[in-house]
Structure formats: structure tokens, C-alpha cells
Amino acid sequence: MTTRATRGPRRRTVVALAVILSILVAFVVRLIDIQVVSADEHVSQSLEHIGDGSTIPGQRGSIVDSEGTVLASSVMVYDAQLSPQVIRLTEEKDPALPWAEASEKIAAITGVPGDEIRKRVSDALAENPNSQYAPLKTGLNTEQYIALRDLGLGSYLALKPRETRVYPNGAVAGNVLGFLDNTGEAKAGVEQLEQACLAPVDGEKTYRKGKYGVVIPGSESVTDAVDGGTVQLTINSDLQWYLQQMVGEEAQKQGAKGGTVTVVEVGTGKIRAAAEWPAMDPNDLDSSTPETRYSQIFHRDFEPGSTFKAITAAAAMEGAGLTPLSTVTASSRETFPNGAVVNDAFSHPAYNYTLAGGLIDSSNTALSKFGTMVAPEVRYDYLQRFGVGQKTLDFPSEVGGILHPVSDWDSQSLYTTTFGQYFTVTAPQLAGAYQAIANGGEKIDLSMVESCTAPDGTVTETPKPKHEQIVKEQTAADLTRMLENVAVQGGNADRIQVPGYRVTSKTGTAQVSDGKGGYKAGVYYTSMVGFAPVDDPQYVVVVTLDEPTKVVSSAATASAFQKAMTQVMKTYRVMPSSVPMDALLPKFG
């Protein structure tokens, strides 16, 4: 029998259990609603962003010379800025390091005067009491960053990192290296040519954030960045530096608008120097003009003039069976049956010129007669064989020169093409033509890039250049002998000799287009090309001067050529000639 005393507690227990059970049922119902019935709606409400993240930038690769000397690299710099509003609020709380003292410490690190720093902040506050930005200094290095960070002023001093391109040797090979624009895009030179190797692949950090910006644990995912590779060039930066200084001095001495020196290794076709003046410093683009930001060596084409008389001789020897001693009679002015008139640069009676003599005296009339002993189509073929009208490296902004089809040759150009007019070349094309002569008639495509080394150490070498025998070995030997006689018997003989070495040479004095179908009066683009040592050819050197005014003939290039060839022999420790020169070739038959 249940008493009144026991019924009370039992009733209370039942009621309590019922309440608890009701609460549990309510929780279960709500849980089902949240996780099942309205799950999608609640998830969308709770998440502000799905797949938020940030880019992890990779570092652009470096460019090094043939010896591994760094010519271009990327470094991290920091841009500093101040928050005027926070500085004002901090000063109101009597900080341990007052703004007057803090600004002087900042000044000592950045080099910006303390007065200037305080003025920038006060000016910003005067314009807007809630200003959050006042510039301090851009491009701070890592040492400065650490020093500023250690001041403990992070509440109002922000240091934002960014990558920048640095060229340690300044203008050395600057026109060849190229540059990046403000967005980091390669715009010229090797920077653009080797973009595929140098460009990094950015990484990414992704995550999920809750409604109030809290990163959801376990939602983070990181893809690492891949840095760019290292491009190794064939250029020797020490030789490049010397030649840039030298050609700059020579060009200014001759009153020229510019000058270049190109050096090619005979046995490989590798470009060892591509020096020019004016030179561009990629670290300071504002100091250059748009015209000087690109390599004129590859961008400027010109009529080669007498330097290509050697190619006319090659065509005549192989196409008409001539030898260095074959002869024609030529005076300083010749009128040909088709009415064309050709003049020499100096007055002389009718000489019975040998082919060698025509090259030594650089006689336009003699080479016109020798050259037209073969059909125009044959000469056109030899111009193509020696590289006219074809780019050498497909270098950014490179031109291929102009080679008109034979159908466009008129009565005058039929002859002028024998002595280097009515077609144009670049300095590398000229160097490539003489490389073939020096290499026993085998032409090797020019190259400037050795390899690309990936961040993991994998080395990808540049594809091997094309080799082609374009003239017979005996033809190349005869041309070499005649070109050595030009160096020994020609008008520049005393000015171009390199003590201890047998040298070849040929000059070119090209008229400059006026842009209207004619030529500028009294203005020339002069050049000189040659290789050494004759008994074991190692290097070709091409020197050009753009419109020299002190000496307007090709003699203007003689001093620069001699200095360049001498330095090349020293740089590569080329053994002096050990075989004496053959007997001099006669100029006249």
C-alpha cells in the first residue's frame, strides 16, 4: 500500500524524467533539422567563403654567364609605409618610444631624414585625421627589414615584401639580357627569349573560413611554388665588360652614334660577346631611351658593303672555276653593257686585277666583273648559304636582313650585289658568314644559350646547332689566304696587326638609307670583320660604327678591331701563330 509520504517523491521523479525526456526529444528533433532536413541551408549560412586562399609566389630564375657569374637574379625587397592614424592614437597614450624618437630611429635605418618622415605623417593627418597611409620608402633590403622589424613598431609600420629583378653587373650585357616591365613581364632580350625556363610556377594555399573569418581546422591545403630555372649563356662577362668600355670609347672618339662588337667561337658558333654602345642598364630603365633598350646587334641591319666581297669570290670560285690568281681588267670607273655604272672609292687606271688583288684593294669594279662570271641565281644561292635574309637566334626584336629575289634585281643591282649593296645583314649574320670561312667551309648555327638548370638540378642543354658544309674546304682555304693578304697588304694593315698572331680582315663602308629610297649624303655605317689565328682559326670578331664623323671610311673601325681581337686572344689564352704566312699573293696578273 502506497502511503501519501511516498507518493510525493515518486510523482516528482516522474515529472522530472518527463521534462528531461521532452528536452532530449526537442534536442534530437532540432539536431535532425540542422544536420539532415536543413543541412544545406545552415552550412551556407555558417560559411562565408568556400575555397578561400592565397597565392604563394615562386621566384624567377637567374641568368649566368659562361663561367657561372650571375648576370640577373631575383631578390626580395620590402616597401615600408606608415599609418598616421595609429601613430596619432599611440601618441595619445604616452608610448614607451615617442614618435619623435621612433621617427629618428626609422630615419637612421632607411636614410629618409627624420624631419621628412614626420612631415609626411603630419601632412597625411592634416588632409585626413583617419589616414591609414603615408609612404616611407620602397625597395628596402633584408638587413633594413630586420632592423625596422626589431624596433617593435608593427602597430603603425608596415613592411610589405615583393620580388624585384637585380642585375649585379649593371649595363654589362644589359641590352642582351633585356628587362621586365612593372608587372614583371619580360619585354626584351634573354629575359624574353628564355621565359619558359626563367618563369616560376606560383603555388597556392587554400582553406575554408567560417562566418567570422575563422579558418576551419583541417580545411587547409598547400601547393608549393616552383621557382624558375637558371639560364646559362655562352657570353663571357669579363670580355663583354672590356669590349663595351672599349667600343664606347672608340665610338665617341670617332663621333659615331653607336658601336658594336660581336665575338663568335669558330668551332662551335657560340657567341662569346655581344657588346654595344650606348648600353642599357636594366637596373635603371629611366636612364635609357626606347631605342637603346633593345640590342642593336640583333635589331639593326645594314648593307655589308665590301665585307661580302669574300662571298662573291666564293661564288665565283665554285661557280666559274676561278682561283685567287684569276684576272680581270678594271679601271676605277666602269660602264657595263646594260648601262650600269660602277665606281671605285679611289681613282686608278685600268689594272689587270687578280681576284686576290680585287679583295685587297676592295675594288668594286673588279668584283663586279668577277661576280658576274656566274649567273645571278648562283650568287643569290651563295648569299642564302652564308645566312643573308635569315635570323640567327630568333632573338627578341631580331631582324633577318633583306635579300631581294633575283627577279627584283635591275641593271644596277645586278652589279652592286657583288660588292655588298642592295641587301642587308646584321652583325651576327656577318660573324656567321666568316665563321663558315674560318671553319673550313662548315657553317654552324650561332648560339647564345648553353642550358637551363631546373631548381631540382635537372640540366636541359640547348639543342645542338645545325652544321652545314656550304663551300668546299679548298674554297674556304683560298678565301682565308686572300683575307690574310687583305690584312697584310690592305690600307689598314699597320693599324690592325695583333703581335704574335696571323689575322684576316675585311672592311665594309655602307651607305645609310635616308628612308626615302635613297642614301644620306656623306654618311656611312662602317664595319670590319676578321678571324684569328689564321693557322688555327679560333674566333671571329665583327666591329661596327654607326655614322662616324671624324673618319667616315671603314678605317674608323681599325683601332677598335685591333683592340677587340687582341683582348679576345688574351681572354681565351689562344696560342700565338706557329706557322709562318704563305708567300704574298700578287694584286695584279
Side-chain angles (χ1 to χ4, degrees):
M1 180 177 179
T2 302
T3 65
R4 182 178 294 181
T6 61
R7 286 201 298 269
R10 184 179 299 169
R11 186 179 293 112
R12 287 193 295 272
T13 300
V14 171
V15 171
L17 289 173
V19 172
I20 293 172
L21 184 60
S22 298
I23 294 172
L24 287 175
V25 170
F27 271 116
V28 170
V29 171
R30 182 59 176 158
L31 189 61
I32 292 173
D33 176 64
I34 292 173
Q35 294 192 346
V36 180
V37 179
S38 304
D40 292 341
E41 179 184 352
H42 291 301
V43 168
S44 64
Q45 290 177 352
S46 65
L47 294 179
E48 219 175 32
H49 304 284
I50 296 177
D52 271 5
S54 58
T55 298
I56 303 174
Q59 190 171 57
R60 188 173 179 82
S62 299
I63 302 173
V64 301
D65 79 344
S66 59
E67 305 302 313
T69 301
V70 176
L71 301 176
S73 64
S74 292
V75 299
M76 192 65 72
V77 295
Y78 301 85
D79 297 335
Q81 62 186 57
L82 298 162
S83 173
Q85 182 192 38
V86 175
I87 292 173
R88 175 177 60 79
L89 294 174
T90 301
E91 283 296 283
E92 293 174 357
K93 297 177 181 180
D94 192 22
L97 184 61
W99 172 235
E101 295 181 29
S103 59
E104 289 300 329
K105 290 181 179 291
I106 294 172
I109 296 169
T110 63
V112 181
D115 289 342
E116 175 63 23
I117 295 173
R118 291 187 290 274
K119 183 177 185 301
R120 292 179 189 178
V121 171
S122 61
D123 287 349
L125 288 172
E127 184 175 342
N128 177 11
N130 296 318
S131 173
Q132 292 287 349
Y133 173 76
L136 178 54
K137 191 171 185 178
T138 60
L140 297 171
N141 60 35
T142 302
E143 183 180 357
Q144 290 171 309
Y145 164 78
I146 294 173
L148 289 171
R149 183 198 63 187
D150 290 348
L151 292 178
L153 305 175
S155 62
Y156 58 75
L157 174 59
L159 298 165
K160 295 185 176 182
R162 71 177 161 85
E163 183 181 87
T164 189
R165 203 67 169 156
V166 174
Y167 302 85
N169 290 339
V172 176
N175 300 73
V176 170
L177 295 174
F179 60 92
L180 309 182
D181 65 13
N182 293 332
T183 68
E185 182 179 353
K187 287 296 184 181
V190 176
E191 294 279 21
Q192 185 176 355
L193 179 69
E194 291 297 311
Q195 172 70 3
C197 175
L198 294 167
V201 177
D202 290 342
E204 185 180 29
K205 180 179 181 180
T206 61
Y207 46 82
R208 291 185 174 186
K209 291 169 65 177
K211 188 172 183 179
Y212 298 102
V214 178
V215 176
I216 298 175
S219 68
E220 295 185 20
S221 175
V222 177
T223 301
D224 291 333
V226 179
D227 292 338
T230 298
V231 171
Q232 183 169 33
L233 304 181
T234 61
I235 297 290
N236 180 306
S237 59
D238 288 339
L239 178 62
Q240 178 82 17
W241 175 85
Y242 171 83
L243 293 178
Q244 279 189 211
Q245 302 301 313
M246 182 275 292
V247 77
E249 292 173 0
E250 290 291 327
Q252 292 174 79
K253 184 187 300 182
Q254 293 297 336
K257 294 167 62 176
T260 75
V261 182
T262 306
V263 179
V264 169
E265 194 169 69
V266 169
T268 64
K270 293 178 180 180
I271 297 175
R272 294 305 185 184
E276 56 193 278
W277 177 86
M280 182 267 293
D281 183 351
N283 295 308
D284 185 14
L285 289 178
D286 291 339
S287 66
S288 62
T289 64
E291 293 76 20
T292 60
R293 290 177 187 171
Y294 303 91
S295 176
Q296 294 303 305
I297 286 177
F298 294 96
H299 185 64
R300 173 70 183 268
D301 60 333
F302 54 93
E303 291 186 345
S306 298
T307 57
F308 256 68
K309 287 175 179 172
I311 282 63
T312 297
M317 285 192 289
E318 294 197 344
L322 303 188
T323 71
L325 300 182
S326 297
T327 61
V328 294
T329 300
S331 61
S332 57
R333 180 182 175 87
E334 292 283 343
T335 301
F336 292 94
N338 66 1
V341 177
V342 175
N343 295 292
D344 277 346
F346 63 100
S347 180
H348 63 84
Y351 288 146
N352 191 34
Y353 268 120
T354 63
L355 181 57
L359 289 177
I360 293 169
D361 279 357
S362 202
S363 170
N364 296 337
T365 56
L367 265 294
S368 292
K369 292 189 173 184
F370 282 123
T372 50
M373 290 181 181
V374 295
E377 291 77 11
V378 173
R379 287 194 285 118
Y380 180 90
D381 174 59
Y382 275 82
L383 291 174
Q384 281 193 317
R385 290 190 195 188
F386 279 91
V388 180
Q390 305 157 42
K391 294 182 180 180
T392 56
L393 304 178
D394 203 19
F395 196 80
S397 80
E398 181 179 6
V399 296
I402 298 171
L403 179 57
H404 299 282
V406 173
S407 58
D408 289 349
W409 294 11
D410 59 18
S411 58
Q412 193 69 30
S413 55
L414 176 68
Y415 296 98
T416 58
T417 48
T418 65
F419 50 88
Q421 292 184 5
Y422 198 60
F423 63 91
T424 64
V425 300
T426 62
Q429 287 174 329
L430 181 54
Y434 275 70
Q435 175 276 327
I437 296 172
N439 201 41
E442 183 184 44
K443 190 175 190 297
I444 303 175
D445 284 352
L446 303 188
S447 62
M448 186 182 282
V449 177
E450 291 276 14
S451 63
C452 170
T453 302
D456 64 1
T458 302
V459 178
T460 302
E461 295 185 351
T462 301
K464 292 184 178 180
K466 175 185 175 183
H467 292 233
E468 182 181 5
Q469 193 75 28
I470 61 172
V471 294
K472 298 174 183 177
E473 189 171 348
Q474 184 58 52
T475 302
D478 288 340
L479 287 171
T480 297
R481 186 181 179 192
M482 287 191 287
L483 291 169
E484 182 178 17
N485 274 265
V486 173
V488 172
Q489 299 189 60
N492 293 304
D494 293 339
R495 293 188 289 274
I496 64 171
Q497 297 305 311
V498 179
Y501 297 90
R502 292 168 58 192
V503 178
T504 69
S505 76
K506 192 71 189 80
T507 59
T509 306
Q511 292 176 288
V512 179
S513 171
D514 62 5
K516 302 176 182 178
Y519 295 105
K520 295 180 181 179
V523 174
Y524 300 95
Y525 193 90
T526 63
S527 60
M528 183 175 288
V529 57
F531 53 86
V534 171
D535 46 327
D536 183 21
Q538 296 293 313
Y539 295 95
V540 175
V541 171
V542 176
V543 175
T544 71
L545 290 178
D546 187 0
E547 299 185 19
T549 56
K550 299 293 179 61
V551 177
V552 298
S553 69
S554 56
T557 59
S559 175
F561 177 84
Q562 195 277 339
K563 291 177 181 178
M565 185 65 80
T566 299
Q567 188 62 37
V568 170
M569 296 297 103
K570 289 180 179 178
T571 297
Y572 289 104
R573 300 180 180 178
V574 177
M575 292 295 292
S577 296
S578 57
V579 178
M581 180 181 178
D582 292 334
L584 293 179
L585 290 171
K587 290 169 57 176
F588 310 112

